[in-house]
Structure formats: structure tokens, C-alpha cells
Amino acid sequence: MTIVLQASAVTKRFGGLTAVKSVDLEVNEGEVVGLIGPNGAGKTTFFNCLTGLETPTAGEVTYRGTPLPRRPDLVTKAGVARTFQNIRLFPNMTALENVLVGRHTRTRAGVLAAVGRGPRYHREERESEDRSRELLDFVGLGKVRNELAKALPYGDQRKLEIARALATDPGLLLLDEPTAGMNPNETAATVKLVRAIQERSIAIVLIEHDMRFVFGLCDRVAVLVQGEKLMEGPPSAVQADERVVAAYLGTPTEEDTA
Amino acid sequence: MSVVAAARTRGGALVAPFARQLGLAGSVLLVICCFLPWSTYSGFPGKMLNSTPGGARLYVLLLALFGFLFVKDLPGRRRALGSASTFAFVIALLTMLFIAYAGRGLVNVGSGAFVGVVAALLYMVGARSLPEDDRTAPVRSLPDGRWRAAVESVLCVLAAVAALAAFVIGLGIPSTSIADGEDYRLGGAISLNDLTNESQFLSFLLFLCGLMLALSRMGVIASLGAITKRHSKVLVAAGLMAAVVFPFTQGGDGYSLRIAASIGVFAAAAVGLNIVVGLAGLLDLGYIAFFGVGAYFAAIVSGSITSVIDVHLPFGLVILLSALIAGLFGVLLGAPTLRLRGDYLAIVTLGFGEIFRITVNNLDGSAGPKLTNGPNGVSNIPDLVLPGGFSFGENHNLFGVDLPFQANYYWLEVILVAVVMTAFLRLAESRIGRAWVAIREDELAAAATGINTTRLKLLAFALGATLAGAAGSVSAHVVKVAAPDSFTFLESALLLAAVILGGMGTVQGALLGATVLYLLPEKLRFLQDLRLLVFGIVLVLIMRLRPEGLVPSKRRQREFHEAGGGADALAAPPGHAGALG
Ligand SMILES: Nc1ncnc2c1ncn2[C@@H]1O[C@H](COP(=O)(O)OP(=O)(O)OP(=O)(O)O)[C@@H](O)[C@H]1O
Ligand SMILES: [Mg+2]
């Protein structure tokens, strides 16, 4: 099995606060890895370090054997795409346009091509559009492709963000709380969507607070507490671990928290 | 609830049951009044004396005809009637006051005007007291059939011709300031009589506003917009044809052509700025400097006797080089500053604009190298001569029609505007344009989606500068001089105002904004020292009533008029937030 992502000893300090402390994480081809931990544990900061939005204080990240660049657009170009915890779409662009923007790194037309509009330009534009429509259908937004992003319901906005990320042809997709704010139906649909993405042989790391979602979906789960990786293992092992329960609830309890 | 509002509601309740009858009576009376004399003396333009309505009376008449809506209940009628009646009233009132003023007393106002003002008031009160209705007029389309495409094409042609006709009529209303051929900023005394001309222009402008508002509220504009969108090629071809043929309709007179050419220069620069501001969302307050770079370069290398460099490059090469050099300046300025956030960029570009102006003011040989002749500028730029010997400075006879020499420069401007517009439209609807809009919407998300934001912002900035440089070099040939006082901050501000007023991100908007902003100060000259104040008030009013601009892009329209959007979408781009979560 090939290793898609290898993060070793990633550390991020904000002044006196160490948000991420020497975290290692490996993701294999086709895997779905869960990243859980209480609020403020440093999960989002860890994602930001991977995707070039933050420069890690120390540590190294490689994608398929080559170090990831420290600039978000280059990380995306290299094949790592992401979504945001607090959805960041282009609100006044249509759903289709949002996904088309995702095609940017995989297309080439420059100013001269755009003004000249030769056959190659038209071909590329058509391909981008076909691909984007296909992705919108894939996430279930085919019908609303001409709606403005901000006019979509919350759940659809999350799906649209995933479609936009997929449009960059990633080999690894980082999802930051993909079901936050969703109702049970939408969450169930997201489970299906993540499985379908996995079938397209795209590896996934997802941050989530919904434990049923995480344990039902992930091949492996890593637990982050106060910036440090507490443990990592198959869902059953993590679920049963007392330290994890303690980390979430503060103190060990007699109650059954599963 | 304020006292005024309470009084209004009470008054409204009183009138409401009779609103339709009242309004209908008012509009019918108003129509009749338009056939009565409005003044007792001849000389007021628009033939206010005889019984055929012309000028302001014609405008009032046309707006009064919307009164048929009191009988026929169409969706959106309340708002449509509101606009039509209010503008009819304002025009009638203003015209009456102008007639009294120019005729030295109310005694010289004809009966038609008095009754007309009262009728218009009834018309307005009736319209405003109609019951509220929140039906919005639907976008209608023609029935399917064999002739549909043909009819729609004809409508497109008519729309283009009507737009040009409105422009020509507005331009054709004489105005001392323009006829004198002075720059409107020079000021100057005018006689009382001129006010009659200015009132003509004002009523025409008000009429256009009222008509457009009423039609748009009835859904006519949106329906027409949908049609022209389907047949955009026809519309563009018709518009271009109309613009090309325009000089043949001028009977050898060059005055309108000269104004139109000046508007063309202004519009081309505005469209270029629209790439930077409207698409990429970068606030550039020194844009005129790039225009100036192009203008000065063209002036210096085009064989002017006042130029210190004795070369005369061919015109095509001059345009190309001006564009390149201005673009280079764009890169030089943009590379270090585009990393800054919006507000800082605005300050740096503002500074650059001033540095440019002060520099060309001083490159006169005393404080530095002699290059620009300081405040005198580089003047006497010779007329263009095409390789075939066709001189732009001479009158020509084409197809049996005598054409003034201004027509040559006018056509040059038409070509420039067409080129700049094409570039804008094609860029906006491309991979590059989408990336610009994405950056404007959320820079961080754009970067995370794979866009090299620094590079694309620089590209927008440099491209805007390039187009400005090209426009500047053409402009230098049209006005035959490049001097520092044409490149003040006021010019940058006016260009920016044209973009925002017209509607950010659309090319028609930039054209319309440029036209309005160029013509308005000229036509407002009768106000003398108050001119710029009134000009400012008008701008504030337009932005208050229509914050998305006169011809907004679909995107901006919704930004301002749909729930969840609002003006704060503009005030606080999400990219500014600190959290990266
Ligand atoms: N730019 C920043 N500057 C300073 N401190 C920061 C910054 N970003 C995050 N932090 C801090 O780092 C810590 C980790 O934050 P992070 O957002 O990564 O947590 P999280 O695990 O994603 O939490 P949640 O589950 O609530 O999303 C928090 O204490 C936060 O306040
Ligand atoms: Mg988080």
C-alpha cells in the first residue's frame, strides 16, 4: 500500500500557545482517516499546516513522497484539496461557477487565449464545464447549478464545497467537520457521499465531532488533545479507550458514554 | 412611527378609496394640458407656445400616458405609476419655474403649465395612494412561432438604435458650455437665456429616468434584457453599426462627434478600470496615471514640435508601446503593493497617481531632465496620417456624404472602445475572469482552491494599466496634447465613479456611467460654482437609490436585493477575517 500523506512531528506555536505539538499522521491510498478531539484541540490548525494556510513552526509534510509546498494554491495543485469548518464558498457566484473555479489549477487558458478564443480554448472550457456538471450531479446538486451559492441551504453549501474541492482532481481530500449543522438525513447522505468519494480512490482525512459518523465511516481514527496526538487506531479500539472518554468529558465516569 | 409618517398614513387612508379615480383624472387632465400653451412668450425651447407638444411637454405627455395603468391592473403597476407620475410632476414643476424665471415672472407662464402642475400632482397622489401590492412583474417572452427569432432580432436592433437616439438627443440639446468648446472645468459666465437650454437637458434626463424606472417596474426592461441576452450578437452588431453610421447623420457638423470621441476615451478607460475594480475587487485610486503614461509616451514619440525627442513612430507601434509601457508600470507598482490588503492598496495607488502628476509637472529641464515641458505639456501633436495618405485632420467625403474631420477621430474611438469591450467581456467569462471574481469574493478560499492570488491580482492590475495606456495614447492624438492637469486625482475619482455608478463588473454599465459622468458636469455648467456640488449630490442620490449601479451585473443585483446579501457583503470581504477555520 502506498503512503499518500506523511506528516512528521508537525508543530505550530501561536506566541506562547502551542496549538499543535509534534503530531505524526500517515494516510494510505484509499483510506478514510478520522481526526477527533475536543474543541480547541488543534485539529483545524493541523489542517491549515498541511494545506499551506499556516506555516508549521517545525515538522515536515510529504505528499506521495515529495514535500508539500508552503503555499495553499501549490498544495492544491500538488493534489491535496480541502473544505472549511465554517463554509467558505464564493457566495455571489453560482454553484456551477464555484465548481468551475476548482478547475483552475487543471486548466491553462491565459489572457491571450481568453481574448483570442481559439478552438483549444473552447475545448478546454467545454471540458471544464462537463466535469463541473458531472461533479455537481455526483454530490446531488445538479438541479441547483445556476443558483447563487449563498442562496443554497446549509447542507447544500457543504456539498458544494466538497464538489469544488473535488474539481481540483485531488488525491487526498481534507474535510473539516463535513456534517456540522446537518440534520440526520443530511448526515446519512454525507456518509454515502464520503464512501462514493473513497470509491474514486481519493484518500480522505476528516475532522468530526459526530462520533457515530466517525466510527461508522473511518478505517482509522486519530485523537488530538491539547495539540498532542493522544492515540490512533481502528474505531473499535479508540471507542473503547478510557483516555479518550476522559479527554472529552474531563474526568472518567461510571456512565456508559458510547 | 414619526409624525410625518403618521400624517401620511392618515392622508393615504383618506384618499385611498378614490385613488384610482383621482389618479386617472389627473393623468387625463395632464394629457390635455400638454396640448395647451405653457408660456406666453416665444423663445422658450420646446415650442411651449403652440398646441403641438414638444420638449418638456412631450416628456410629460409620454409619462402621463402611463395613467392607463389606473384602468388596467398589471403586476407592478403601483411602483410603475409611482415613478412615472413623480417624474412627470417634477418635470412639469421645473419647466414651469424655468419658464417663469426666463420670462421674468409668473405672469408669463401659460395656463397649460399651471393646470398641468396641479394635474400632475393629482396623478402622483393617486398613484401613491394605490393599495400596496407586492406582485413583481414577470419576465415575459414572445410566443413561440416562426417569426419569434426575427421579431426578437428586430427588438434588439431597436433597443440599440433607441439607446443611441437617446444619447444623440441628449447631446443635441444645445448647451453654451459645449458649443464654446471649452473644458467644463474652466468655468465662465453665462447669460440667463442659456438656462432655457439647460432646463431642456434636465427635463430630458428626468424623463429618461422616469421612463426607464416605470418600464423596469412593469418588467419591460427585464424582458427586453432576456431577449437581448439570447441575441447578444445581434445587439452588439446593431450597436456597432449604429455607432459607425452615426457621423453620416450629422450633416457635416463635428460638434457631437467631438463630444462622442471624448466620451469614448473616458469610457475605454472606465472599462479598463472595471477589470481592476469590478472583477478583481482591487481599489485603484491612481488609475489615471497609467492613462497618463500612455498619453505622454504617445505625445513624445509622435513627431510633435514641442517634444524633446525628435522621432515620429507609426501610430500602430505607438499604441502598442504605450500599452506595454503602461502595463510595465502596472507590474512595477503592483508587484510590491498587491500583497497589501485593500485599504493599503488604495493609499499606495493614490500616492502613485500624485507622484506621476508631480513628476511630469517637473520634468521641464530645470529640476530634472527635460522631457515633458512641465506644466505646458507636450502639445501640437500632428494629425494622424494613415499609410495610404488618409489624413485624420481633413474633412473627407465618403459615399457622397461630407464628413467633418472629427469623424475620423470618432471612428478611432469606436474601434478603441470596441476592442476594450471585447477584451473585457471575453476575459470576464473565462477561467481568468472567474478566478478574479473568486478572489474578490473570498481571497483565502480562492487560494485554497488552487488560485495563485498574487499572480492573478497582479495580472488584473497590469492588464488594467495596459488598457489605460492604450486609451491614453489614442486620447493624446484626439486632443493633441498631454499636460499634467489632465491627470489629477479628480480624473481617477471620476473614472471610479463611472464604474461604480454604471454598475461594477458590467461593460454596459461602464459605458453608461462614463457617458453620464462626462455629460452631466458639462450640462450642469449653468449652475456655475455650484456645479460640482450638485454633481456630487446627484451621485450620492443615485447611489442611495440604486446602490448596485445603473446596469448592475446579475451577481451584484442579487447581492444588493436579496436576503442575506446587503451592503455589508461589500464592506467586509470574508477574506479579512482572521480565523482560518
Ligand atoms: N491564528 C491563530 N492565532 C492564535 N491562536 C490560534 C489561531 N488559530 C487557532 N488558534 C488557537 O489554537 C487552538 C487550536 O485551535 P483549532 O481551531 O485548531 O481547534 P479545533 O480543534 O479545530 O477546535 P474546534 O473543534 O472547535 O474546531 C485554539 O486554542 C485556538 O484559539
Ligand atoms: Mg476546528
Side-chain angles (χ1 to χ4, degrees):
Chain A
M1 213 186 287
T2 25
I3 295 171
V4 180
L5 180 88
Q6 181 148 40
S8 14
V10 172
T11 301
K12 178 69 195 178
R13 269 191 289 275
F14 294 114
L17 175 86
T18 308
V20 179
K21 271 180 224 153
S22 193
V23 173
D24 300 317
L25 189 73
E26 253 176 42
V27 182
N28 299 311
E29 191 92 65
E31 232 184 349
V32 179
V33 176
L35 190 58
I36 62 171
N39 290 117
K43 306 179 293 293
T44 299
T45 307
F46 180 63
F47 267 20
N48 289 344
C49 290
L50 299 184
T51 51
L53 292 179
E54 303 274 13
T55 311
T57 316
E60 199 186 330
V61 186
T62 60
Y63 175 75
R64 293 190 194 278
T66 39
L68 271 182
R70 294 280 160 83
R71 234 175 55 197
D73 56 309
L74 294 181
V75 170
T76 308
K77 197 178 170 97
V80 180
R82 71 169 289 173
T83 65
F84 292 89
Q85 180 173 350
N86 50 349
I87 307 171
R88 298 191 80 137
L89 289 165
F90 308 120
N92 294 299
M93 294 176 97
T94 64
L96 183 64
E97 286 170 332
N98 266 275
V99 184
L100 278 170
V101 172
R103 294 302 298 159
H104 189 88
T105 43
R106 304 296 170 217
T107 44
R108 311 185 48 84
V111 171
L112 291 183
V115 175
R117 301 239 158 149
R120 187 185 301 171
Y121 171 85
H122 285 292
R123 187 166 2 103
E124 188 184 272
E125 201 61 0
R126 203 165 42 243
E127 279 167 9
S128 292
E129 200 164 316
D130 290 347
R131 188 71 211 290
S132 305
R133 279 168 194 263
E134 186 262 320
L135 282 170
L136 281 173
D137 289 336
F138 174 67
V139 300
L141 294 179
K143 287 213 178 65
V144 293
R145 73 172 87 91
N146 291 322
E147 297 285 324
L148 289 192
K150 71 174 183 201
L152 296 177
Y154 194 77
D156 285 356
Q157 293 196 1
R158 288 227 176 266
K159 286 188 205 158
L160 180 55
E161 226 192 354
I162 293 177
R164 182 181 71 186
L166 288 175
T168 64
D169 291 345
L172 172 68
L173 183 60
L174 309 177
L175 302 175
D176 198 342
E177 305 200 11
T179 71
M182 282 189 176
N183 62 33
N185 283 341
E186 290 172 326
T187 306
T190 309
V191 172
K192 284 211 190 86
L193 181 58
V194 172
R195 289 247 158 82
I197 295 171
Q198 189 182 15
E199 266 163 33
R200 294 189 163 201
S201 59
I202 296 170
I204 294 172
V205 181
L206 54 89
I207 297 175
E208 214 11 281
H209 286 298
D210 181 337
M211 291 306 148
R212 191 176 309 163
F213 180 85
V214 173
F215 294 132
L217 197 55
C218 297
D219 303 313
R220 204 146 44 84
V221 177
V223 186
L224 218 56
V225 177
Q226 293 185 352
E228 278 173 298
K229 194 163 85 178
L230 186 69
M231 70 166 301
E232 183 184 334
S236 52
V238 173
Q239 215 166 347
D241 196 287
E242 276 176 15
R243 290 173 301 170
V244 177
V245 178
Y248 267 92
L249 297 179
T251 49
T253 65
E254 291 82 51
E255 265 176 277
D256 182 10
T257 49
Chain B
M1 195 192 291
S2 74
V3 182
V4 180
R8 248 179 82 170
T9 337
R10 210 164 332 117
L14 211 65
V15 180
F18 316 105
R20 278 184 50 217
Q21 290 81 347
L22 190 73
L24 188 61
S27 62
V28 171
L29 188 59
L30 189 54
V31 169
I32 296 171
C33 286
C34 289
F35 293 91
L36 300 175
W38 278 31
S39 76
T40 58
Y41 60 99
S42 62
F44 198 87
K47 302 193 192 79
M48 289 295 167
L49 204 49
N50 63 15
S51 59
T52 350
R57 275 197 299 167
L58 183 61
Y59 309 145
V60 173
L61 174 66
L62 290 174
L63 290 177
L65 290 180
F66 277 91
F68 84 91
L69 285 172
F70 283 114
V71 185
K72 195 162 170 52
D73 186 11
L74 294 175
R77 75 161 179 181
R78 183 177 181 271
R79 281 151 53 80
L81 273 172
S83 318
S85 61
T86 309
F87 278 90
F89 174 68
V90 173
I91 296 172
L93 189 67
L94 277 179
T95 306
M96 185 185 89
L97 293 178
F98 271 118
I99 291 174
Y101 186 51
R104 302 213 160 56
L106 276 174
V107 281
N108 290 319
V109 177
S111 54
F114 282 123
V115 186
V117 168
V118 176
L121 187 64
L122 292 182
Y123 179 26
M124 187 169 78
V125 171
R128 301 241 158 216
S129 320
L130 282 177
E132 291 280 349
D133 81 81
D134 42 10
R135 295 170 300 170
T136 43
V139 175
R140 293 187 192 80
S141 52
L142 294 169
D144 273 321
R146 262 198 322 165
W147 297 105
R148 179 170 168 179
V151 174
E152 288 190 338
S153 303
V154 170
L155 281 176
C156 288
V157 175
L158 286 181
V161 172
L164 193 79
F167 171 70
V168 172
I169 293 172
L171 204 60
I173 295 170
S175 144
T176 356
S177 42
I178 293 179
D180 285 348
E182 301 166 28
D183 189 87
Y184 66 83
R185 281 173 205 91
L186 299 180
I190 38 174
S191 69
L192 191 64
N193 246 359
D194 302 324
L195 281 183
T196 59
N197 288 331
E198 313 301 348
S199 90
Q200 278 292 88
F201 182 74
L202 206 60
S203 26
F204 178 67
L205 208 62
L206 287 169
F207 164 68
L208 275 189
C209 293
L211 186 71
M212 293 312 274
L213 276 175
L215 287 180
S216 83
R217 277 153 185 195
M218 288 176 64
V220 176
I221 303 289
S223 308
L224 201 60
I227 291 175
T228 53
K229 197 165 174 146
R230 264 199 302 283
H231 302 268
S232 58
K233 290 220 168 80
V234 179
L235 183 74
V236 169
L240 201 59
M241 273 306 289
V244 169
V245 170
F246 176 49
F248 290 98
T249 66
Q250 292 298 299
D253 181 21
Y255 148 73
S256 298
L257 295 173
R258 193 171 59 75
I259 301 293
S262 306
I263 292 176
V265 172
F266 196 52
V271 173
L273 180 61
N274 209 356
I275 291 182
V276 186
V277 180
L279 292 183
L282 305 167
L283 188 51
D284 184 347
L285 293 181
Y287 191 69
I288 198 69
F290 300 118
F291 186 89
V293 168
Y296 264 101
F297 178 77
I300 289 170
V301 299
S302 293
S304 156
I305 45 161
T306 60
S307 166
V308 291
I309 301 174
D310 186 22
V311 286
H312 194 163
L313 302 179
F315 180 55
L317 187 62
V318 171
I319 294 193
L320 213 64
L321 287 178
S322 308
L324 278 180
I325 291 173
L328 195 69
F329 268 91
V331 173
L332 285 181
L333 182 68
T337 50
L338 282 170
R339 291 167 202 282
L340 303 175
R341 270 195 1 218
D343 342 1
Y344 300 109
L345 180 69
I347 294 168
V348 171
T349 50
L350 179 75
F352 173 69
E354 282 304 284
I355 291 171
F356 173 78
R357 187 179 60 81
I358 294 167
T359 306
V360 293
N361 221 338
N362 285 295
L363 290 182
D364 58 355
S366 63
K370 186 171 165 59
L371 190 61
T372 65
N373 302 334
N376 297 330
V378 184
S379 56
N380 291 25
I381 300 171
D383 275 307
L384 288 173
V385 180
L386 290 189
F390 183 96
S391 167
F392 275 56
E394 289 165 18
N395 301 346
H396 292 272
N397 185 301
L398 280 182
F399 309 113
V401 181
D402 280 323
L403 292 166
F405 74 91
Q406 286 95 338
N408 307 322
Y409 288 104
Y410 166 82
W411 278 321
L412 186 63
E413 282 303 330
V414 170
I415 294 173
L416 176 74
V417 172
V419 167
V420 174
M421 268 175 64
T422 311
F424 179 93
L425 285 174
R426 293 194 157 185
L427 278 169
E429 297 253 311
S430 75
R431 166 178 177 266
I432 304 286
R434 285 191 298 267
W436 282 333
V437 177
I439 291 173
R440 201 196 79 191
E441 292 278 296
D442 186 337
E443 190 167 340
L444 191 126
T449 312
I451 292 170
N452 185 340
T453 51
T454 316
R455 203 172 137 255
L456 269 137
K457 286 198 287 184
L458 189 58
L459 185 65
F461 204 70
L463 215 57
T466 306
L467 292 180
S473 71
V474 174
S475 147
H477 281 98
V478 174
V479 298
K480 309 234 167 349
V481 55
D485 53 357
S486 318
F487 310 114
T488 59
F489 171 65
L490 182 67
E491 303 289 337
S492 286
L494 279 178
L495 277 173
L496 193 64
V499 169
I500 295 171
L501 180 82
M504 281 215 253
T506 65
V507 69
Q508 307 92 313
L511 276 183
L512 188 65
T515 310
V516 170
L517 280 190
Y518 190 90
L519 282 186
L520 210 55
E522 298 246 10
K523 297 285 190 180
L524 285 176
R525 275 196 76 190
F526 71 98
L527 292 167
Q528 303 186 13
D529 288 346
L530 289 179
R531 193 187 63 229
L532 283 179
L533 177 69
V534 171
F535 179 55
I537 292 174
V538 171
L539 289 190
V540 170
L541 276 182
I542 296 180
M543 289 329 285
R544 173 71 189 80
L545 297 174
R546 211 171 156 79
E548 71 274 32
L550 298 175
V551 190
S553 64
K554 199 176 68 205
R555 188 170 290 138
R556 284 196 80 73
Q557 174 114 46
R558 298 203 223 169
E559 211 167 292
F560 280 96
H561 289 293
E562 267 176 22
D568 49 9
L570 226 166
H576 281 198
L580 298 179

